Amino acid sequence: MPSRSPLLTRLCSAALFTLSLLTPEAARAGESWTRFLGPASGHTDSKDLPLQWSETEHVKWKTPLPGEGWSSPVVAAGQVWMTSALDNGQSLHALCVDFATGRLVHDIEVFRNAVVPPKHKRNSYASPSPIIEGDRVYVHFGAMGTACLSTKDGKKLWENREFVVDHQNGPGGSPTLHGDKLLLAFDGTDQQYEVALNKTDGKCAWKTERSGVAKLAAKPTDMRKAYGTPVVFTIDGRAQSLTTGAERLYAYDPDTGREQWWIDYPGFSNVPLPVSDGKMLYVCTGFMKPEIWGVKLGGAKGDATASHVVWRQKTGVPDQTTPVVVGDRLYMVSSGGIASCLNTATGEIVWKERLGSDFAASPLVADGRIYFFDTRGKTTVIAPGDKLEILAQNDLADGCMASPAPVGRALIVRTKSALYRIEK
């Protein structure tokens, strides 16, 4: 039997990691995309996705969206859900678009704010992404509230507005489902903690103050915040929820909120999610001077910084987008448009090239390609490998702050002003 090429080996390895490390939903990724970055951290088993498109080519439909929102679209059962903010953040909405036709089916005001907190000009008041599960969709607006809606009629089933922190720059991190709980991170300038809500009624199941609060107390207040999204991995045979907070990666038991271990790093305003290939974790440390760290999986207890950090890389690291792993290579793009390929074992740079000038959406691995969507309307598609090989560059009228959702043979792409179904 002929030997497999290195590229094929890496792609097969990535597929095996996706199906074994994460939830069973990963096997259905081609049919739905139910949460931020999908069930397999930016990987999909969708086939025959479009390689090239424009405003006039391979656009099945384009739907203008009301308000402003950077939440990524989620898709299931023929529905596309997102959030949006109108009236300068006073009115927070959930939007539902029909997958087949692009028709706006629901535009629901979830919350109304008499007083609107401040936000960064680059952020929106509707940046956290929803989660669909069965006939429910969970929407989150950070400290402005969390709610559960019926996907059938948009009726609000419950809401929770009891967790209030000062995000300073507006909401960022998305929720995560685990079993019967909805996991949420609240890392503000004033308070830092994580909570789990009972998904049936929205009541608090547990709340855990960050163990690093004493360390953060010595920092300026604007260096205590983070915009992390909890990610649940199976480590040492049990579920562990990992969240990047300011100065520390936290690992919790998602059922009880009990802290399992942590890694200390220099950094705050964390956005990228931790990712894994089943052998190591890859963690971006934050804003201003971001680093990416390779962390050994398994056996961590308490402070695991000295025992489990294998390598550190300081060049070209993202502070907004989440990297993707393909085999023994890690691919990432900085907000300034520098794309890099790293050796996952050592953190050494294999190649580093400029793709553009501004990126906020996370890359997507699909059908032997990696898609990079920038904030100015261009998508660059590359082939995974040890040199940069650009397969296509495509332009839309507006750019992406949200990450795409692949469903079947289609890409659901949210730009700053519209939602597209792109399909051959």
Side-chain angles (χ1 to χ4, degrees):
M1 178 181 295
S3 62
R4 289 191 288 190
S5 70
L7 172 59
L8 181 58
T9 299
R10 289 200 291 272
L11 289 172
C12 290
S13 297
L16 288 173
F17 130 71
T18 295
L19 293 174
S20 63
L21 183 67
L22 300 173
T23 68
E25 189 180 10
R28 303 193 303 274
E31 302 170 14
S32 61
W33 195 258
T34 59
R35 62 177 184 257
F36 179 56
L37 300 187
S41 296
H43 289 250
T44 179
D45 59 6
S46 289
K47 302 293 184 183
D48 202 26
L49 291 171
L51 174 63
Q52 295 179 307
W53 62 83
S54 69
E55 284 288 334
T56 58
E57 179 186 19
H58 296 151
V59 175
K60 188 160 186 178
W61 48 254
K62 174 183 177 180
T63 301
L65 296 176
E68 179 185 72
W70 304 158
S71 63
S72 298
V74 293
V75 187
Q79 293 183 331
V80 185
W81 284 87
M82 299 149 290
T83 56
S84 187
L86 286 73
D87 301 334
N88 296 314
Q90 289 187 313
S91 183
L92 303 177
H93 287 231
L95 308 177
C96 176
V97 170
D98 182 80
F99 176 79
T101 66
R103 180 174 64 91
L104 183 61
V105 179
H106 297 299
D107 182 357
I108 305 148
E109 184 179 71
V110 182
F111 296 119
R112 175 161 282 276
N113 298 312
V115 178
V116 178
K119 72 169 182 67
H120 194 279
K121 63 182 179 180
R122 185 175 173 85
N123 197 14
S124 78
Y125 286 111
S127 291
S129 299
I131 301 178
I132 302 174
E133 185 183 50
D135 59 359
R136 292 184 165 206
V137 58
Y138 302 89
V139 294
H140 179 58
F141 299 91
M144 292 180 290
T146 307
C148 176
L149 310 178
S150 167
T151 60
K152 296 179 180 178
D153 55 16
K155 180 181 178 182
K156 188 188 296 185
L157 303 177
W158 58 255
E159 67 174 54
N160 188 312
R161 308 191 80 177
E162 66 182 283
F163 301 105
V164 179
V165 299
D166 179 7
H167 294 301
Q168 190 180 66
N169 293 325
S174 297
T176 296
L177 273 175
H178 171 73
D180 60 356
K181 294 178 175 62
L182 188 71
L183 309 180
L184 303 167
F186 290 93
D187 290 278
T189 61
D190 51 349
Q191 303 177 74
Q192 302 84 35
Y193 54 86
E194 193 158 321
V195 303
L197 305 183
N198 291 317
K199 71 179 185 182
T200 54
D201 58 13
K203 297 185 183 301
C204 183
W206 56 256
K207 176 183 176 183
T208 301
E209 184 180 75
R210 299 296 194 201
S211 60
V213 292
K215 178 184 178 183
L216 293 178
K219 298 285 184 180
T221 55
D222 65 348
M223 297 178 69
R224 302 175 190 176
K225 64 184 183 297
Y227 305 95
T229 296
V231 185
V232 178
F233 296 101
T234 299
I235 304 173
D236 294 330
R238 67 182 188 275
Q240 298 187 34
S241 175
L242 274 59
T243 309
T244 51
E247 299 287 317
R248 181 168 289 184
L249 170 72
Y250 297 90
Y252 295 129
D253 179 334
D255 293 310
T256 66
R258 182 177 179 182
E259 188 174 54
Q260 306 295 298
W261 53 272
W262 69 88
I263 298 283
D264 279 337
Y265 47 64
F268 64 100
S269 287
N270 316 71
V271 176
L273 277 59
V275 295
S276 179
D277 56 6
K279 296 177 290 186
M280 290 212 304
L281 290 168
Y282 308 99
V283 181
C284 297
T285 62
F287 181 64
M288 288 183 65
K289 296 181 180 179
E291 302 177 10
I292 187 165
W293 289 16
V295 178
K296 182 172 61 176
L297 270 182
K301 294 181 180 179
D303 185 354
T305 311
S307 60
H308 279 64
V309 177
V310 178
W311 54 256
R312 307 176 185 187
Q313 177 58 252
K314 299 180 180 181
T315 302
V317 178
D319 58 16
Q320 296 175 52
T321 67
T322 297
V324 290
V325 181
V326 180
D328 58 3
R329 297 290 184 264
L330 183 145
Y331 298 85
M332 60 189 188
V333 64
S334 70
S335 57
I338 302 299
S340 304
C341 170
L342 305 186
N343 183 316
T344 57
T346 65
E348 294 176 343
I349 296 173
V350 178
W351 58 256
K352 179 166 65 78
E353 303 281 352
R354 176 169 293 280
L355 283 190
S357 59
D358 191 359
F359 287 81
S362 295
L364 171 70
V365 179
D367 205 10
R369 305 165 185 159
I370 307 177
Y371 293 74
F372 294 89
F373 293 76
D374 76 13
T375 67
R376 302 187 180 187
K378 179 177 288 185
T379 302
T380 303
V381 188
I382 73 167
D386 287 352
K387 64 178 182 179
L388 176 60
E389 181 185 353
I390 295 177
L391 303 175
Q393 290 186 314
N394 308 301
D395 291 298
L396 294 176
D398 209 347
C400 296
M401 301 297 290
S403 300
V407 181
R409 299 171 60 230
L411 283 171
I412 302 299
V413 177
R414 182 183 192 174
T415 68
K416 297 172 188 176
S417 55
L419 187 71
Y420 294 75
R421 177 173 170 174
I422 300 172
E423 188 172 357
K424 291 189 291 187

